[in-house]
Every structure is written in structure tokens, then in C-alpha cells.
Amino acid sequence: MSAPAEVLAVRGLTKRFPGVLALDDVTFTVRPGEVHALVGENGAGKSTLIKVLTGVYQPDQGELRYRGEPAVFGTPLRAQQAGISTIYQEVNLVPLMSVARNLYLGREPRTRLGLIDFGRMHREAERVLGDYGVRVDVRQPLRHLGVGAQQMVALARAVSVNARVVIMDEPTSSLEPREVETLFGVIRRLREQDIAVVYVSHRMEELYAVCDTVTVLRDGRHVHTGPLAETDRLTLVSLMLGRPLGEVGRQTTATPAGDHDGEPVLHAEGLTRPHQLRDVSLRIHPGEVLGLGGLLGSGRSETAKAIAGALPVTGGSVTVAGISVRTGSTPAAIRAGISLLPEDRKAEGIVPGLSVRENIALAALPRLSRFGLVHEARVDAVVETFMKRLRIKASSPHQKVGELSGGNQQKVLLARWLAMHPKVLLLDDPTRGIDVGAKAEVQKLIDELAEQGLGVLLISSDVEELISGSDRVVVLKDGAVVAELSGDDVTEDRLMRAIAAPTTAPDDTSPTIPTSPTSAEEAAVHGH
Amino acid sequence: MATDVVPRRGVPADRAQLVQWMQEYGVYLGVTVLLLFNVAFTDHFLSTENFRTQAVQVAPVLIVALGMALVIGTEGVDLSVGSVMALSTSLLSLYLGYGPLAALLVALVGGAAVGLANGALVAFVGVQPIVATLALMVGVRGLALVLLPQLEDVHDPTMATLGSGDLVGIPYVVLIAVALALLVAFAVRRTTFGRQLLAVGDSRPAAQLAGLPVRRVLIVVYVCSGVLAAVAGFLATARLSASDPTSLGNLMELSAITAVVVGGTSLSGGRVRIGGTVAGAALIQLLNATLIKHNLSPSWTQIAQAAVIVVAVYAARERGRR
Ligand SMILES: Nc1ncnc2c1ncn2[C@@H]1O[C@H](COP(=O)(O)OP(=O)(O)OP(=O)(O)O)[C@@H](O)[C@H]1O
Ligand SMILES: [Mg+2]
């Protein structure tokens, strides 16, 4: 067989879900050694296309060719055996199994007796993951790792099987800059080996950093394919949106720093939790966006969770507008006006089986009820407002949230918390997986909310977003506050330097990237 | 919780849709088919008397199944319901001296107490529902027998009326069951509690972070189940005019779970179908009646029931995949 010009190709692909035409006559081809960007708005059909390519879904119409021959993949396993390896948008590993098992699932090293050779598996897993900058106990269950580390495990797994095509659906959405660099290194290595890579991301810089070709989908239709170098950012964005993006990025934050004197709306003092938080204190004034900087595992998510009562603390206090809040109780924190948009939207955010409507109304139910009966008209009003305001794309408010595209799920969660009219909003990576258009909208929304007197705590794996969006940045390292940047000091350079500065903490001097949440946190969330 | 990216094994859309349709409406189809079969092939099927008998027999199962549906909706299960019925009948017999109303109240309090214990074990101690309720299933049956060691006749005019009387031709027992079904359906659909219940069942971590009173919801659910089982015990006692804590409610938990599952409520929580549960109970009842009327041995009844459960569980399993 002569080397085909394209390793994977689909023509005239159509996929329908009840009420949605997710893919409409899509053509998509990938050549060996090419890094092919697949872009489009939330709900454009990127993940669906990938799932059809890899046998998760069967197409309604269309032809799939793999290495020059017609192919049908009944299951993802078949696709994988054929050499198409995929990292899906939602991490698809087995949370209860050990990290090493996950890495080798289905191809475990065996002893001569045919039993799993755990010793070898653990040693190799440690070595492989070490290459990816993930240094953890590979015997612990996967769920004890943070989302970013889990993503790296998925990556290591996908790349270590013998693949001809590696598909990555938003692999960087929860990675830190350093890990993104590792990932790019891996991608370049794959390209040298003539392996094709399909790369989905909403982050423009990343596309331009690694991709050769770009395909744009809009509302399930193919609108453009071409060399990325010939398509500039603005063109790309307008191709995605079908309209020019009014303002790229946002204007500078409205309130100049220094305005925020007087009573803080949130005052957290001395939050402490063994191995995770060490005497973390911070204040947020009304109308202020406080950024929380630091590496993965530096305690940012833990700080947010501790403030929101979702993580018990052994010491410290939280005060909202001068009134002290009982720590360790989510309902108490919510009643006091604290809302948390959690990091792991799939496990801790959405309720997948309930509708968009019920998900949005979930936290606000007591307010939307009378005598324990849900006031449907009021729910409808709230749901309609937020679906419009955040442009949530769903076939109807009654569609199950589990069926929405990743970005739209995130918007539903944001709507849930905005519907609470909180005093303090803790946003743990709020624009994760959100498309460029919606990202600008969400950022604008955050600014607007701040102007209305809301205190916002912003965590973001996107450094640029953190810098441009925050009035002040508190930098965490190994669970302790190491620096505070305000005014003109809020720059990427300063932030990086604060993070890189040698730690003064005596108990942790290892240079590894700590991987966040631990079992204790998990236990707290599960309530037992 | 089902993952997003579970393989969907080469199922064409039309078959997938068929499966989905069967999950939603299969139980109603089953009931219709059985009804038509009986109309055609069973003598004296279309008599009011027959329908009355069937309805009266199914009423206690249905009432217990209502509570079970709520519990299963939270991804739990309540194995203690049969024993609660026994406790209920023992308490009734002991306190009937104070009048039927007082006795009923005591029985209901008994059921609620068992539910509270179940709920506390599950919500606060974190025991698996199946383990917690199994413990109470054994313990409560024992308690019922300690309270009332042997069968005792129940002579009470009010209870006799309730057990065998009727209102415009419909037995009280059936009316009560229907009223309770409507009440529970309303609670699931319209109340804050209902929404919270579904959220807790679907994703507990998410419900917790959304600030829902997860523990309270769990406890209330188990208390409801206990109280409903106590009501079923009360009605069964009224109908039999006797208290028999040794045998009353035996295997009731299985019948109730069957009705719920056959009715399309998934064992993985997040969903409660009251209409389906009613139909599920009716389906099992009709199936048994049909086989008995056609002189098949009880073992056949059990095999047929097992077959129906397998089909229902298969359908529910398909539902988990997207
Ligand atoms: N299992 C499903 N059932 C019903 N509709 C679905 C299902 N999966 C996806 N959809 C719909 O198909 C459309 C495309 O979704 P898809 O997940 O492919 O978007 P996406 O481009 O990956 O978006 P994002 O950037 O937000 O991840 C959306 O409207 C979504 O609601
Ligand atoms: Mg997607």
C-alpha cells in the first residue's frame, strides 16, 4: 500500500441528536505529521466530530476512511487498536483505580504466570509520568490527583500506546503554563515521528504555537480549512463566530486600584489545614477582583473551597461584610452570600441527569419557592434571563445538562451562581473551556458584577486572564501566601517571579510540582 | 454516575431510540398487552369483582413501592420496609385499646423512627444504604416479634370498614393508595424537596457544593419510606383482621424494588417515576394473576417475574450510556 496523503478522512458526515443537528455534512481530513487544529464556538460540534471519528458515536451519514481504506469503528477500543488514540474533553479514566493502573489499563505488564506485574508497572509508571513533570505516588487512586495532573496521566496514556493519530480535545483547559510546555514538547515529538495530531482548543496562542492546519466548524458545519499561518487571529475568530468580534479582549478594569478602602466584603483570616493551607489570609473589598496566583497544587482551589465551606479547616475564620461565617459548612457560606464555581465541573458542578433549567435553579431553589413548593414561573424567568445573558446553547431549557457541550455546561454553572445574587463570588477557572466569544462575555460580566459591588476571587490557569482581570493578585505557594501584587505590580513578569522565588518554608523544599487535592479533600466533598 | 464517553457499541440511532422509548413507556405497553391478553383468553376477567380483587391486593405493595422509589431516587435502597410493616401490625395490635386512630399514630411513629435510624446511618455515619437497612430489616422484625409473639385477631369496626369497605364501589384501601401516589408524585414534581432529592441522587458532590441540605434530604427520604411502609402495614392488618408479625411483609422489599425498577426508575439515582412505579406494581400483579388463572405453578410466576426484572434492568443499563 502506498503511503496515503491522508491518514484519516471523513466526508459528508452528519450526526443528529434529538433536537440538535450536531454535525451537518462535515468534511475533515488529517495528514501524517500534521498538527491539525479543530476550532469553533461552544457547541459547534468539535467533540461530537471526535467522538464519531473514534467510534463513541456512529454517524447518521458519511464516510470514514482510515489509512486510505473505508473504516467503521464500532467502539473507541477498536479505534484505539487501529492506532487512533484520544484524550477526550472530559477525562475518561477510572477515578477509583490507581494512577499506574489507569496508565496501563488494558495493556498491563505481565509476569510469566500471566499475572499483572505490579512492581514493574509501578516503576514504569513513575518513570513515564516523571517525564511529564507529574511526580506522585502512582499507587494512590487517580481521583486523588487534581484535574491538571489527571489530564497529564491521560496524555501519557494516549501517547504511550502505538498511535498514528492522536486526538486531543481541549487538553490544556486545566493545565499550567509549564505543563502546557511539556505538552507542546510531546506534540512536536509526535510530529517528527510522522504521527498526526488533532488539537482542539479555545486558546488562540496555543493554536498558533503548535498547529499547522486549521479547520473551523460553526453550528455543526464545516466553514474553513487551511494553513494556520495564512489565517490571522481576527479572521479566525470571525470565521468561528460568523461575525466580527466586537472587541477583542476587554477594556482595562474600570476601577483603579487604591479605591478599595473601608470594610472588606470578604475577610479570610489564618485559614489552616494540614498539608494544604498554611495561615492563608486575604481580604476582598466590594467591587474588587482579587486574583489568586500560583502553580497547580499551591493551594488556590483549596483556599477557595475552604472559604466556601466545602473544605473543613483546622484553624482560621471567614467574615462576610463584617459578619462571621461558620467554616466547614457549605450551606452556611452560601447563606452568607459566598458562591463557589468549582474547578472540577463534571464531578462537583453539574448534575448531569437534570435539565439545564433545574441545574440553573438548583442553588437558588429556596428563594424561588414558597411554602416548599417551587414557583415555576419565577424559575422560568430566572432561567430565561441567564440563558440569554450567557448565551447558553441548548435545544431547550429542558435538555439534560449532561448532553451539552463542555463550554455550555460551564456557563450553566456560572448561571447557577449568578442567580444567587452573591456578595462574594469565588471563581475557580471560570473560563475554562469557554470559547473566545463567550470568554470575552464572561470576563465582561465579571467586571460588571464587580462594578455592582460584588467581591470576586479569581483563579485562572490562564495567566493573561489573571493579570488583566485582577485588581490585585495574591500569590500562593505550597499552601501559603508568598506575595501580594497590587497596582502597577500586577504584571505577568512580577507574578512569575513571585512564583519562582525560593520558598522560605522549611518543610517542603522539593522542586517537584505538587499535585493538588488530596484524599482528605475528596472525603470532605463526598461527606464521609 | 455515567461517564460522558462510554462506548455506545455500534447501536444505530433507530435502535437507540427504540430502547429509549421502551424505557419510558415499556411498562405501560406491558400492562396493556397483559390486559388485552386476559380480555381475550381469561374467563371472567372483565368483571368488576376481579378488578377489585387485583387492586386491593396490589395496594400495599404500591404504597411501599412509593417510598422505595424515593429512596432509590437518592441512589439508595430500603430493605427494612417489610419489617416495618410487621412492626406496624404489632404496634397496632398492642395499642388498639386506645382506639384505632391512636394505634395508627403509634404505628406511624414506629415507621418514622425506623426511617430516622436508616437515614441517620446513611447520612451521618456514611453506612452503605444496603447495609444500614439490612441491619434494621433484621432488627426490626425481631422487635416486632418481641412486641407481639404470635398471631392475634384484630376486632375493630373502624378498621374492618377500612379494610373491606368501599366508596362508590372503590375499596378504601385502593383510594388511599391512589391518594398517596398522587401526593408523592406531587412532592417529586413540584416541591423544593423533590428537586433536591433528584439532585442528591444524581450527583452528591455537586449537590453538596450547591449548598443543598444533603443530609436532611436523605433522612426525610428514609422517614417517608418508613412511614409509607407503616401505612401499608396498617392497611394489610385491616384487610386481614389480624396481626401476624411473623409473616406480614415478608419479601415485601423485593416486590417493591421490582415495581420501582420495572417502572423505569434507575437504580443509579437521580430519577423518580411515580407513574411508572404504579404501572410497575400493576404489571407484576397482573402477571401473577394471569399465570395463576391459567393454572401455572408458583414457580412459573417467579420465573416470569425474574424475566421481567431482567428486561427492566437491561433497559435501565442502556439508559446509562449516552
Ligand atoms: N449526547 C448528546 N445528546 C444530545 N445532544 C448532544 C449530545 N452530545 C452533544 N450534543 C449537542 O451537540 C452539539 C455539539 O456539541 P459538542 O460537544 O460537539 O460541542 P463542542 O464543539 O465540543 O463544544 P465545546 O467547545 O463547548 O466543548 C451541542 O449543541 C450539544 O448540545
Ligand atoms: Mg467539546
Side-chain angles (χ1 to χ4, degrees):
Chain A
M1 194 177 61
S2 63
E6 27 184 69
V7 57
L8 184 65
V10 283
R11 295 212 163 70
L13 195 69
T14 298
K15 177 72 194 171
R16 210 179 291 275
F17 290 112
V20 209
L21 186 57
L23 293 176
D24 182 4
D25 194 19
V26 169
T27 294
F28 181 62
T29 56
V30 193
R31 286 192 298 272
E34 146 187 279
V35 183
H36 197 135
L38 181 61
V39 298
E41 276 185 293
N42 292 132
K46 303 177 297 291
S47 300
T48 307
L49 174 58
I50 288 170
K51 288 183 186 171
V52 173
L53 290 179
T54 57
V56 178
Y57 296 140
Q58 298 306 315
D60 295 335
Q61 268 162 42
E63 188 201 29
L64 174 66
R65 294 178 82 85
Y66 179 57
R67 303 177 68 192
E69 282 166 27
V72 176
F73 298 123
T75 68
L77 184 63
R78 293 266 174 72
Q80 200 183 80
Q81 285 163 345
I84 303 180
S85 185
T86 315
I87 307 169
Y88 295 99
Q89 182 167 15
E90 313 295 342
V91 180
N92 60 321
L93 301 169
V94 190
L96 290 175
M97 280 193 186
S98 77
V99 174
R101 289 283 320 243
N102 268 290
L103 195 56
Y104 286 100
L105 203 62
R107 49 194 188 94
E108 294 86 353
R110 305 274 167 178
T111 62
R112 255 173 309 160
L113 294 174
L115 301 173
I116 297 177
D117 186 345
F118 280 104
R120 207 170 102 209
M121 188 167 85
H122 289 149
R123 274 193 312 277
E124 286 184 12
E126 250 159 39
R127 187 181 54 73
V128 171
L129 288 179
D131 286 350
Y132 291 88
V134 179
R135 268 172 259 279
V136 289
D137 176 8
V138 297
R139 290 169 189 81
Q140 66 180 323
L142 180 84
R143 66 188 181 114
H144 291 179
L145 303 190
V147 187
Q150 290 192 19
Q151 195 77 39
M152 291 312 268
V153 174
L155 172 70
R157 178 183 161 76
V159 173
S160 57
V161 302
N162 259 332
R164 282 173 189 280
V165 182
V166 178
I167 303 181
M168 308 181 177
D169 195 352
E170 299 193 34
T172 55
S173 57
S174 41
L175 297 187
E176 292 300 320
R178 200 187 302 185
E179 292 171 304
V180 173
E181 271 315 312
T182 313
L183 174 74
F184 286 179
V186 172
I187 291 179
R188 291 189 188 109
R189 219 155 63 211
L190 292 173
R191 178 161 50 193
E192 277 155 29
Q193 295 164 11
D194 232 20
I195 294 170
V197 176
V198 176
Y199 190 87
V200 179
S201 177
H202 290 295
R203 297 185 183 170
M204 293 288 143
E205 326 75 80
E206 293 179 359
L207 302 181
Y208 285 95
V210 288
C211 298
D212 312 311
T213 318
V214 64
T215 288
V216 183
L217 293 185
R218 192 196 313 147
D219 290 331
R221 273 191 295 271
H222 171 262
V223 291
H224 172 82
T225 295
L228 187 59
E230 290 169 17
T231 323
D232 66 54
R233 267 187 192 224
L234 280 179
T235 319
L236 195 58
V237 170
S238 51
L239 276 171
M240 283 164 61
L241 304 186
R243 59 185 154 82
L245 182 66
E247 36 175 29
V248 185
R250 59 171 138 183
Q251 315 304 323
T252 53
T253 29
T255 22
D259 251 28
H260 307 295
D261 304 325
E263 181 95 339
V265 62
L266 177 83
H267 186 182
E269 183 73 48
L271 295 175
T272 302
R273 182 179 162 80
H275 310 303
Q276 288 184 334
L277 297 176
R278 278 184 290 141
D279 197 21
V280 174
S281 302
L282 42 89
R283 296 155 178 267
I284 306 177
H285 297 272
E288 187 183 36
V289 180
L290 176 69
L292 207 49
L295 294 174
L296 206 71
S298 57
R300 294 169 311 174
S301 296
E302 289 77 3
T303 304
K305 278 195 170 170
I307 294 173
L311 192 65
V313 290
T314 50
S317 65
V318 175
T319 323
V320 172
I323 300 160
S324 125
V325 183
R326 185 156 58 93
T327 55
S329 155
T330 332
I334 290 173
R335 251 178 277 126
I338 301 177
S339 286
L340 166 69
L341 185 77
E343 175 189 24
D344 187 348
R345 95 179 143 232
K346 191 178 162 202
E348 303 179 336
I350 59 161
V351 183
L354 294 191
S355 66
V356 172
R357 183 177 181 271
E358 308 308 343
N359 266 281
I360 292 180
L362 191 62
L365 268 183
R367 187 166 56 78
L368 300 173
S369 304
R370 253 189 333 207
F371 313 119
L373 297 188
V374 180
H375 195 308
E376 305 291 350
R378 259 153 72 182
V379 172
D380 283 333
V382 168
V383 169
E384 207 191 302
T385 316
F386 284 103
M387 282 187 74
K388 263 211 201 105
R389 189 159 165 196
L390 298 181
R391 295 217 217 153
I392 295 173
K393 191 176 172 221
S395 58
S396 88
H398 302 286
Q399 189 178 10
K400 278 188 188 171
V401 161
E403 295 174 355
L404 294 193
S405 77
N408 281 300
Q409 293 184 356
Q410 184 76 340
K411 290 188 195 171
V412 166
L413 281 185
L414 206 52
R416 178 193 291 169
W417 291 117
L418 293 179
M420 291 298 289
H421 306 310
K423 294 195 183 79
V424 182
L425 192 54
L426 314 175
L427 302 172
D428 198 343
D429 233 348
T431 59
R432 180 177 155 209
I434 288 190
D435 67 49
V436 267
K439 191 165 178 168
E441 280 163 34
V442 168
Q443 289 171 338
K444 211 166 83 200
L445 191 72
I446 295 174
D447 286 349
E448 265 173 43
L449 291 168
E451 265 163 50
Q452 289 162 19
L454 200 74
V456 179
L457 181 74
L458 179 66
I459 300 175
S460 177
S461 46
D462 180 343
V463 178
E464 202 184 305
E465 172 175 292
L466 191 68
I467 295 297
S468 64
S470 311
D471 300 315
R472 217 158 33 97
V473 176
V474 166
V475 184
L476 291 182
K477 189 164 185 177
D478 299 325
V481 177
V482 291
E484 184 179 322
L485 314 174
S486 55
D488 293 338
D489 281 350
V490 184
T491 62
E492 197 163 332
D493 184 50
R494 284 299 186 112
L495 177 65
M496 286 310 180
R497 252 189 286 166
I499 291 172
T503 324
T504 46
D507 56 348
D508 190 350
T509 45
S510 72
T512 55
I513 308 171
T515 40
S516 69
T518 67
S519 52
E521 172 186 345
E522 197 68 33
V525 171
H526 287 89
H528 49 79
Chain B
M1 192 177 54
T3 18
D4 264 6
V5 283
V6 174
R8 133 76 95 213
R9 295 166 321 124
V11 187
D14 41 347
R15 216 206 103 193
Q17 269 162 20
L18 181 73
V19 169
Q20 198 181 356
W21 188 90
M22 282 302 285
Q23 287 155 13
E24 295 289 330
Y25 306 107
V27 64
Y28 303 108
L29 183 73
V31 172
T32 315
V33 167
L34 273 177
L35 279 176
L36 291 177
F37 175 87
N38 280 301
V39 169
F41 300 107
T42 310
D43 300 332
H44 316 298
F45 182 74
L46 275 182
S47 68
T48 354
E49 194 43 46
N50 179 43
F51 274 102
R52 231 180 118 103
T53 320
Q54 304 293 346
V56 167
Q57 277 178 6
V58 80
V61 181
L62 173 60
I63 293 174
V64 173
L66 291 173
M68 189 67 80
L70 297 181
V71 175
I72 288 180
T74 64
E75 210 176 353
V77 71
D78 186 353
L79 297 181
S80 68
V81 284
S83 302
V84 170
M85 287 178 72
L87 178 67
S88 166
T89 200
S90 294
L91 289 172
L92 277 170
S93 174
L94 286 179
Y95 287 89
L96 205 51
Y98 299 95
L101 189 66
L104 171 65
L105 278 180
V106 173
L108 293 183
V109 168
V114 176
L116 196 65
N118 279 327
L121 283 174
V122 172
F124 283 97
V125 188
V127 183
Q128 294 272 337
I130 197 165
V131 178
T133 58
L134 184 66
L136 273 118
M137 168 181 170
V138 177
V140 170
R141 175 77 62 179
L143 178 65
L145 286 169
V146 170
L147 290 175
L148 189 73
Q150 75 282 326
L151 189 142
E152 196 135 319
D153 285 343
V154 172
H155 300 292
D156 182 84
T158 324
M159 284 188 67
T161 321
L162 261 179
S164 46
D166 57 35
L167 188 75
V168 291
I170 307 173
Y172 286 122
V173 182
V174 176
L175 285 175
I176 292 173
V178 170
L180 287 174
L182 290 175
L183 187 72
V184 173
F186 178 80
V188 171
R189 278 166 173 260
R190 291 264 169 251
T191 63
T192 324
F193 167 73
R195 302 282 160 90
Q196 293 177 335
L197 185 163
L198 297 180
V200 169
D202 200 344
S203 172
R204 219 160 127 180
Q208 207 132 23
L209 273 187
L212 303 195
V214 174
R215 290 176 173 159
R216 194 174 73 206
V217 169
L218 286 174
I219 287 183
V220 172
V221 160
Y222 283 92
V223 168
C224 283
S225 175
V227 168
L228 285 167
V231 172
F234 172 78
L235 292 180
T237 310
R239 194 160 63 86
L240 302 170
S241 314
S243 282
D244 180 10
T246 329
S247 69
L248 186 70
N250 266 337
L251 292 185
M252 183 55 95
E253 59 285 341
L254 292 186
S255 309
I257 294 171
T258 308
V260 173
V261 172
V262 168
T265 297
S266 136
L267 283 176
S268 52
R271 212 155 175 241
V272 175
R273 299 187 59 195
I274 296 303
T277 301
V278 174
L283 181 73
I284 299 297
Q285 176 69 26
L286 267 175
L287 191 67
N288 292 348
T290 311
L291 296 175
I292 291 167
K293 290 236 166 82
H294 289 267
N295 288 325
L296 286 165
S297 68
S299 45
W300 275 108
T301 318
Q302 281 164 2
I303 291 172
Q305 241 184 59
V308 171
I309 295 176
V310 168
V311 171
V313 169
Y314 176 76
R317 189 191 63 102
E318 285 275 320
R319 171 184 309 131
R321 350 205 108 200
R322 281 182 209 120

